Amino acid sequence: RNQFPGTVTAVTKGATTSHVTIDIGSGIAVTSSITNNAVEELGLKPGARAIAVIKASDVLVGVP
């Protein structure tokens, strides 16, 4: 699996799901949608160290 260590820069909580943004360096940020319970259990907050683990069966491509 692709694992990218970084630092949490934002956690935006919704009713049941949060968007967590992790700065993985070189100007690259990864954002993931995870449950609010997972955010609490992992102790995710801005400044926390985290690893973005990417496992994808599909790759979507878009243009600006």
Side-chain angles (χ1 to χ4, degrees), residues 9-61:
T9 57
V11 176
T12 306
K13 288 191 175 181
T16 59
T17 305
S18 293
H19 291 130
V20 178
T21 302
I22 302 171
D23 178 351
I24 61 171
S26 300
I28 300 170
V30 175
T31 301
S32 178
S33 296
I34 63 174
T35 66
N36 290 338
N37 286 342
V39 169
E40 299 286 328
E41 289 175 13
L42 295 170
L44 298 175
K45 59 186 174 192
R49 299 289 297 157
I51 299 170
V53 180
I54 300 172
K55 179 181 176 192
S57 57
D58 295 22
V59 176
L60 303 176
V61 177

